[in-house]
Amino acid sequence: MAAEAKAEDRFTLPKLPYAEDALAKGGISKETIQYHYGKHHAGYVRKLNAQDKDGKVKKDASLEDLIKDQETSDKVFNLAAQIWNHTFYWESMAPAGSKCKDDSEVGKQLIKDFESVDKFIEAFKGRAGGHFGSGWVWLSINAEKKLVITEGHDAFNPMKDGLTPILTIDVWEHAYYIDQRNSRGAYIGKFIDLINWDKVNERYTAGCK
């Protein structure tokens, strides 16, 4: 759906990890993907490249660098974070979804920090449903290697606060309005069922090293 980046563009739109219609049975339609990925995500890439051509993006800095750097301008931060956040979000889901296994590394830590996987899911759903306005809700590893839920508006990314993210949900309306209209709760339920727990566990083990 998204146009190929020009050769001279510094930042590119990563490919989706599945086909545009792959999440449709799980409640996220091809039309949503075409708008969310093909318009919104691609738009952030296009705008950050425009900022780069205007000399407003630090040379040789990666998206992660731009997110973590406290000197990054608000405009460049928002664009860099939205690109990174969306890529992370797409990779947090899989067409068949999965269940978090209690004996997986991330499952064991969730039980330690939230008492059970089910209690974590309820807490995560509560934060996502209760977040006012647009933004992101994250599960991350903190400095004590504990798992914490954080949330923030607009292009919020926990790496700016020194956390290591392993899961995120996009609660901007464009993530769900086509399919669920204004029912964020229905969208959150669909997202939970689509979580790629193998990927989350992979991120967790890598983040604990």
Side-chain angles (χ1 to χ4, degrees):
M1 177 71 182
E4 291 294 322
K6 296 178 182 178
E8 66 270 21
D9 283 346
R10 174 174 166 189
F11 300 98
T12 59
L13 178 66
K15 289 185 178 180
L16 284 171
Y18 32 70
E20 289 180 343
D21 62 352
L23 304 181
K25 288 184 178 179
I28 298 179
S29 67
K30 180 178 180 179
E31 185 180 6
T32 287
I33 297 292
Q34 287 176 330
Y35 276 95
H36 195 176
Y37 170 75
K39 300 294 185 184
H40 292 280
H41 194 176
Y44 298 127
V45 175
R46 185 181 67 255
K47 291 173 185 177
L48 186 59
N49 279 317
Q51 289 288 300
D52 183 51
K53 289 179 175 64
D54 287 342
K56 297 177 181 177
V57 182
K58 188 175 180 180
K59 276 190 172 185
D60 302 321
S62 66
L63 293 175
E64 290 89 344
D65 294 333
L66 294 171
I67 291 166
K68 294 176 183 178
D69 189 346
Q70 299 299 322
E71 296 183 0
T72 299
S73 70
D74 288 346
K75 186 167 188 175
V76 170
F77 168 81
N78 285 335
L79 294 171
Q82 285 292 74
I83 295 167
W84 197 96
N85 292 0
H86 278 89
T87 300
F88 198 85
Y89 167 74
W90 302 127
E91 293 175 351
S92 292
M93 295 181 284
S98 60
K99 296 291 184 182
C100 180
K101 299 175 183 176
D102 286 350
D103 61 353
S104 65
E105 293 305 309
V106 72
K108 288 185 281 189
Q109 192 63 44
L110 285 171
I111 291 168
K112 285 182 183 179
D113 295 329
F114 295 91
E115 298 183 14
S116 71
V117 173
D118 286 344
K119 285 188 176 181
F120 156 70
I121 289 173
E122 287 309 305
F124 192 76
K125 287 169 69 175
R127 293 288 287 272
H131 180 81
F132 182 78
S134 300
W136 299 82
V137 178
W138 300 80
L139 177 66
S140 301
I141 307 167
N142 69 12
E144 289 75 42
K145 303 301 183 185
K146 292 183 178 181
L147 291 172
V148 294
I149 299 172
T150 59
E151 63 182 282
H153 296 298
D154 303 324
F156 172 74
N157 184 296
M159 291 194 295
K160 200 171 183 72
D161 300 320
L163 302 177
T164 302
I166 64 171
L167 175 67
T168 194
I169 182 171
D170 184 350
V171 292
W172 284 65
E173 280 195 340
H174 62 236
Y176 58 88
Y177 203 83
I178 290 172
D179 300 321
Q180 311 299 338
R181 295 299 184 259
N182 64 334
S183 181
R184 184 187 288 182
Y187 157 68
I188 294 167
K190 300 293 186 183
F191 173 84
I192 293 295
D193 289 340
L194 287 167
I195 292 175
N196 182 347
W197 282 105
D198 288 339
K199 173 59 74 173
V200 176
N201 190 62
E202 176 188 308
R203 291 167 174 165
Y204 173 74
T205 54
C208 285
K209 290 181 180 177

